[in-house]
Amino acid sequence: MTDVPVIGVLALQGDVREHLIALAAADAVARPVRRPEELAEVDGLVLPGGESTTISKLAVLFGVLDPLRARVREGMPVYGTCAGMIMLADKILDPRSGQETIGGIDMIVRRNAFGRQNESFEAAVDVQGVEGDPVEGVFIRAPWVESVGAETQVLAEHDGHIVAVRQGNALATSFHPELTGDHRVHALFVDMVRAWRAPDPL
Amino acid sequence: MSSALSTPQTPETGTARVKRGMAEQLKGGVIMDVVTPEQAKIAEDAGAVAVMALERVPADIRKDGGVARMSDPDMIEGIIDAVSIPVMAKSRIGHFVEAQVLQSLGVDYIDESEVLTPADEVNHSDKWSFTTPFVCGATNLGEALRRIAEGAAMIRSKGEAGTGNVVEAVRHLRQIKGDIARLRGLDNHELYAAAKELRAPYELVREVAELGKLPVVLFSAGGVATPADAALMRQLGAEGVFVGSGIFKSGDPAKRAAAIVKATTFYDDPKIIADASRNLGEAMVGINCDTLPETERYANRGW
């Protein structure tokens, strides 16, 4: 086993390329994942931004949703941005009919909570666990977290709304660090994957 | 304007990064033309990443003739209310008031489209002055870069809308990709002359030469009618596809829409494309582009 973790990006739809680039910049081996057998080979997984309804449908259709749930349950680290955050929510406030999530974070998410594209915005966000300057938050038709359970840690808020959370090995942000060239959030996730892979200390 | 690389302390809307980033979220997806809220729901249920709200699909615009304009605001709002995925709508080329109206309605993307009758035969709209992002058509790299210089946040190869014939979509995408590949082979001295030939700003030409791709997302449009067509465009380098008349002018729109979505995601897996192509019912009839008079070619519109 080498020190370099292999991290997949769920590549059914969305800004996969940007996540692959950000992960590589954060010293992981990054590869796209579309099939169950590809999922089995990664140490961690990013759920990219995209259209959550589309990603959810394709995940069901091509048989990756159940394997994904199983791996998240066994503790594989996952990081979801925007649509990916929705996929990690145990509950969506306003789901489309039949919209399924992977779950893993005890939270209720409101889709497109910050509004339509005309309301999409950039703002500086302080994220717990990310040292230095605030993160450049790019919010695109972004969701926010309506409420969290006792086990869920709130990492960031914007304008009184929760926009970054972590529960165990699952991390989620409403915004898109992959679009900024600042890879600190991805580095945080790569560290989570490294810690999970590391053998138990003697 | 273009480079919003330092993040504002107070939230800022309509930045280049927010506009272009929106298109990044659509990648790998299918954007479908719809004319009613019911069709919009069918598209959403089939897995479309966005819908294009318009009164008539291009095949009907072609058939009916006359002047094609922006759609009725009631009709666009009806579609916005019906679905949760992004909604796009078309303005005429250079008709910046139609674009202002579309922005006020809250559409998520404006397509300054050659499918509608142009309002200005010299100028396109100044797209920087809008909060709503724009997508524009292009037949070659120079045209794409002129649109980006005007503020387009997404480009689609034009193809020939409303024909059900993929040949022009292939031609235009190959042209754009080929033009980019040629730029990659040039040295710094040659890029100035290349910019002149492309009739595009030097800075953008240099950026493309360095990146090896457009600085915005590139989709394909105009003539995609089957799952294999969609997969073809993706294998040729499109990051996603627009399907216009191809879905709702076919025998079984719901099934065809879902099939095109599958083939767009698994564009490099012939077995999945084969399965998606089974028993789809009738495809739209289609038009042989060779027999189309120059005056009826939408791709010639735009400058």
Side-chain angles (χ1 to χ4, degrees):
Chain A
M1 229 183 190
T2 65
D3 274 351
V4 183
V6 178
I7 301 182
V9 179
L10 188 66
L12 296 172
Q13 191 273 315
D15 65 342
V16 176
R17 179 176 173 274
E18 287 61 36
H19 276 292
L20 292 171
I21 292 170
L23 288 168
D27 296 328
V29 170
R31 53 170 75 148
V33 165
R34 287 182 297 180
R35 300 175 174 83
E37 58 271 26
E38 293 162 347
L39 177 64
E41 291 169 2
V42 297
D43 305 314
L45 188 74
V46 167
L47 306 164
E51 273 309 308
S52 62
T53 51
T54 305
I55 294 171
S56 159
K57 276 179 183 109
L58 288 168
V60 173
L61 214 53
F62 289 97
V64 288
L65 190 67
D66 285 332
L68 264 170
R69 284 177 176 149
R71 290 225 61 192
V72 170
R73 250 196 319 269
E74 81 190 26
M76 176 188 72
V78 280
Y79 170 35
T81 61
C82 196
M85 170 187 257
I86 295 169
M87 291 295 288
L88 287 175
D90 282 350
K91 190 167 186 291
I92 308 175
L93 195 67
D94 48 352
R96 298 307 287 184
S97 62
Q99 182 173 2
E100 303 231 25
T101 71
I102 298 161
I105 299 181
D106 183 6
M107 62 177 170
I108 300 174
V109 164
R110 183 189 288 272
R111 299 163 61 228
N112 307 137
F114 284 105
R116 303 186 68 83
Q117 176 59 17
N118 283 338
E119 284 86 52
S120 294
F121 63 96
E122 293 184 42
V125 182
D126 274 313
V127 182
Q128 249 185 69
V130 175
E131 300 292 318
D133 291 339
V135 165
E136 308 169 46
V138 180
F139 295 79
I140 297 174
R141 288 170 47 94
W144 70 47
V145 179
E146 199 78 16
S147 62
V148 294
E151 302 297 307
T152 307
Q153 189 188 355
V154 174
L155 300 183
E157 292 189 6
H158 174 79
D159 203 18
H161 301 289
I162 301 169
V163 295
V165 294
R166 177 174 177 179
Q167 181 180 349
N169 274 337
L171 178 70
T173 60
S174 301
F175 49 92
H176 296 275
E178 74 278 12
L179 296 179
T180 65
D182 174 355
H183 306 306
R184 286 176 297 163
V185 178
H186 285 81
L188 171 72
F189 179 62
V190 173
D191 283 344
M192 285 166 59
V193 179
R194 259 199 213 100
W196 186 64
R197 287 168 85 245
D200 290 333
L202 295 174
Chain B
M1 191 167 70
S2 73
S3 72
L5 291 177
S6 64
T7 307
Q9 287 303 306
T10 50
E12 196 180 332
T13 57
T15 63
R17 196 151 63 179
V18 158
K19 288 174 170 180
R20 293 178 180 187
M22 164 76 201
E24 304 285 353
Q25 309 312 311
L26 301 173
K27 283 191 300 191
V30 183
I31 299 166
M32 302 182 190
D33 278 5
V34 297
V35 301
T36 63
E38 292 68 36
Q39 289 187 356
K41 278 184 207 146
I42 291 171
E44 184 177 51
D45 286 342
V49 289
V51 290
M52 178 75 69
L54 70 179
E55 271 170 3
R56 291 177 291 172
V57 293
D60 288 333
I61 292 174
R62 227 172 243 297
K63 204 170 64 193
D64 298 351
V67 175
R69 312 177 177 90
M70 176 189 79
S71 298
D72 186 319
D74 271 351
M75 176 266 168
I76 294 170
E77 281 178 349
I79 287 172
I80 288 175
D81 291 341
V83 294
S84 72
I85 56 177
V87 176
M88 302 184 170
K90 291 183 195 288
S91 77
R92 282 179 265 178
I93 289 173
H95 204 315
F96 50 85
V97 173
E98 283 187 350
Q100 290 164 3
V101 170
L102 294 175
Q103 173 164 289
S104 79
L105 294 176
V107 305
D108 295 295
Y109 240 89
I110 297 168
D111 183 2
E112 187 181 24
S113 177
E114 69 282 1
V115 169
L116 305 185
T117 311
D120 188 327
E121 293 190 330
V122 179
N123 307 294
H124 286 246
S125 297
D126 168 22
K127 293 167 272 290
W128 294 113
S129 64
F130 290 80
T131 306
T132 310
F134 278 73
V135 55
C136 289
T139 58
N140 57 53
L141 179 60
E143 197 177 2
L145 295 182
R146 287 193 291 281
R147 297 296 84 80
I148 294 168
E150 296 155 1
M154 178 180 187
I155 294 293
R156 53 174 175 75
S157 57
K158 281 182 178 172
E160 196 52 47
T163 61
N165 186 339
V166 82
V167 65
E168 294 300 308
V170 169
R171 186 194 317 280
H172 298 154
L173 190 62
R174 278 201 187 277
Q175 183 69 46
I176 293 168
K177 302 296 281 190
D179 289 344
I180 293 173
R182 275 186 289 282
L183 277 191
R184 295 281 271 175
L186 302 184
D187 67 30
N188 287 341
H189 305 281
E190 294 169 314
L191 286 177
Y192 295 95
K196 201 166 131 191
E197 275 168 35
L198 289 167
R199 294 191 293 130
Y202 165 75
E203 290 299 327
L204 281 175
V205 170
R206 197 183 63 184
E207 191 178 356
V208 170
E210 282 167 6
L211 289 173
K213 65 184 278 297
L214 293 180
V216 302
V217 167
L218 172 63
F219 268 45
S220 177
V224 172
T226 68
D229 286 350
L232 173 65
M233 299 321 296
R234 288 222 58 202
Q235 286 201 27
L236 287 172
E239 297 179 284
V241 294
F242 285 83
V243 186
S245 321
I247 289 171
F248 289 99
K249 284 287 161 189
S250 74
D252 189 343
K255 199 168 174 190
R256 183 168 294 267
I260 291 176
V261 169
K262 284 185 214 170
T264 301
T265 292
F266 287 91
Y267 63 94
D268 53 355
D269 188 329
K271 276 194 179 135
I272 290 178
I273 301 166
D275 282 340
S277 305
R278 291 176 208 277
N279 297 312
L280 291 182
E282 244 172 282
M284 71 180 282
V285 175
I287 296 173
N288 191 336
C289 291
D290 291 342
T291 61
L292 209 57
E294 283 298 310
T295 51
E296 289 178 23
R297 286 175 181 261
Y298 297 155
N300 292 342
R301 298 167 168 177
W303 9 92

